[in-house]
């Protein structure tokens, strides 16, 4: 009984030691695995951060690049607009200068009519009558703007007259007024049209009344 007890005791001690060694090896293996996994995660973390995170300098560089592209587009648009505006201003200035520059208009005396018989000019412009071989041009009293000067051309004279006062002027060819050879000149706006038309209806007689028909055709716009 004593011998058996000793053997059992010895077996129990050996089993206990083997169990303790196994647990120790498993704990060490578990710790090793845990440490290795943690190290791998720690090693991968910087790479992932490098892939997912941009530095402030990189972000600022991208924003500056985008701002530069926008600024370039805006500059091109402003330049195009400025060039267009400059061209329009230049064309407008040319038109203004052309409109402001005095011009010479021609009225041709044909068989028994003036051509054109109604002409529109600007104050400061000049009218020249041509082909006046058997004709003359004479303004009609009461049918020119207040302050304007009357004119009377000689028979056969290619007369030139400058019209500085705005308004309506009526004139006739004295040798051929019986054929209706009358004309009207409108310098600028026909500011006195109503006045001269009323005067013509009240005072003109005989072939001079042909002028009334011309006055009625004057454009007011």
């Amino acid at each position: 009984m004593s011998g058996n007890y000793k053997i059992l005791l010895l077996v129990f001690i050996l089993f206990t030691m083997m169990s303790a060694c196994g647990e120790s090896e498993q704990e060490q293996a578990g710790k090793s695995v845990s440490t290795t996994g943690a190290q791998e995660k720690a090693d991968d973390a910087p790479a992932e951060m490098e892939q997912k995170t941009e530095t402030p300098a990189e972000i600022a560089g991208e924003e500056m690049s985008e701002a530069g592209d926008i600024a370039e587009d805006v500059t091109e648009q402003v330049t195009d607009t400025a060039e267009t505006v400059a061209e329009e201003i230049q064309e407008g200035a040319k038109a203004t200068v052309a409109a402001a520059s005095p011009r010479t208009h021609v009225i041709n005396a044909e068989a028994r009519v003036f051509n054109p018989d109604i002409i529109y000019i600007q104050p400061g412009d000049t009218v020249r009558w041509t082909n006046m071989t058997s004709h003359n041009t004479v303004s009609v009293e009461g049918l020119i703007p207040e302050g304007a000067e009357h004119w009377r051309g000689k028979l056969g004279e290619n007369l030139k007259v400058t019209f500085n006062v705005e308004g309506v002027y009526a004139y006739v060819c004295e040798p051929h007024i019986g054929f209706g050879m009358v004309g009207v000149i409108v310098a600028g706006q026909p500011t006195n049209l109503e006045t001269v038309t009323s005067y013509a209806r009240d005072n003109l007689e005989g072939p001079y009344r042909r002028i009334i028909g011309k006055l009625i055709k004057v454009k007011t716009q």
Side-chain angles (χ1 to χ4, degrees), residues 69-139:
D69 293 339
I70 294 173
E72 185 176 353
D73 292 341
V74 171
T75 301
E76 290 179 356
Q77 293 176 2
V78 170
T79 301
D80 293 341
T81 301
E83 290 177 352
T84 301
V85 171
E87 290 176 358
E88 291 177 352
I89 292 174
Q90 187 176 10
E91 291 299 325
K94 289 180 179 179
T96 300
V97 170
S101 300
R103 297 176 56 193
T104 297
H105 306 264
V106 175
I107 296 176
N108 187 55
E110 298 179 354
R112 298 292 185 268
V113 296
F114 290 110
N115 185 18
D117 54 0
I118 300 176
I119 189 170
Y120 298 86
I121 67 174
Q122 292 300 317
D125 287 358
T126 297
V127 172
R128 178 172 178 263
W129 284 266
T130 63
N131 195 35
M132 299 290 284
T133 305
S134 60
H135 309 286
N136 71 350
T137 171
V138 180
S139 59

Side-chain angles (χ1 to χ4, degrees), residues 7-208:
I7 292 171
L8 289 172
L9 180 60
L10 181 59
V11 171
F12 175 76
I13 292 171
L14 290 173
F15 179 78
T16 301
M17 291 177 65
M18 289 176 67
S19 296
C21 289
E23 290 178 358
S24 178
E25 290 177 356
Q26 290 178 358
E27 289 176 358
Q28 289 180 359
K31 290 180 180 179
S32 177
V33 171
S34 177
T35 302
T36 301
Q39 183 63 37
E40 289 177 353
K41 291 182 179 180
D43 292 340
D44 292 341
E48 292 178 356
M49 291 180 66
E50 289 179 359
Q51 293 176 358
K52 296 180 180 180
T53 305
E54 293 181 335
T55 64
E58 290 174 341
I59 295 173
E62 291 178 357
E63 292 178 349
M64 290 179 65
S65 177
E66 292 178 359
D69 293 339
I70 294 173
E72 185 176 353
D73 292 341
V74 171
T75 301
E76 290 179 356
Q77 293 176 2
V78 170
T79 301
D80 293 341
T81 301
E83 290 177 352
T84 301
V85 171
E87 290 176 358
E88 291 177 352
I89 292 174
Q90 187 176 10
E91 291 299 325
K94 289 180 179 179
T96 300
V97 170
S101 300
R103 297 176 56 193
T104 297
H105 306 264
V106 175
I107 296 176
N108 187 55
E110 298 179 354
R112 298 292 185 268
V113 296
F114 290 110
N115 185 18
D117 54 0
I118 300 176
I119 189 170
Y120 298 86
I121 67 174
Q122 292 300 317
D125 287 358
T126 297
V127 172
R128 178 172 178 263
W129 284 266
T130 63
N131 195 35
M132 299 290 284
T133 305
S134 60
H135 309 286
N136 71 350
T137 171
V138 180
S139 59
V140 180
E141 184 178 356
L143 302 184
I144 66 173
E146 184 176 355
E149 295 183 1
H150 285 277
W151 72 88
R152 173 180 288 275
K154 297 178 181 179
L155 189 65
E157 180 184 7
N158 293 328
L159 187 68
K160 288 171 54 177
V161 177
T162 299
F163 296 84
N164 294 314
V165 181
E166 186 173 62
V168 175
Y169 300 75
Y171 66 94
V172 301
C173 170
E174 289 178 323
H176 301 108
I177 189 173
F179 296 95
M181 195 170 181
V182 301
V184 173
I185 298 168
V186 182
Q189 295 298 318
T191 54
N192 63 329
L193 179 59
E194 184 176 347
T195 300
V196 296
T197 301
S198 177
Y199 180 91
R201 285 173 174 164
D202 294 341
N203 296 279
L204 297 184
E205 297 179 353
Y208 279 88

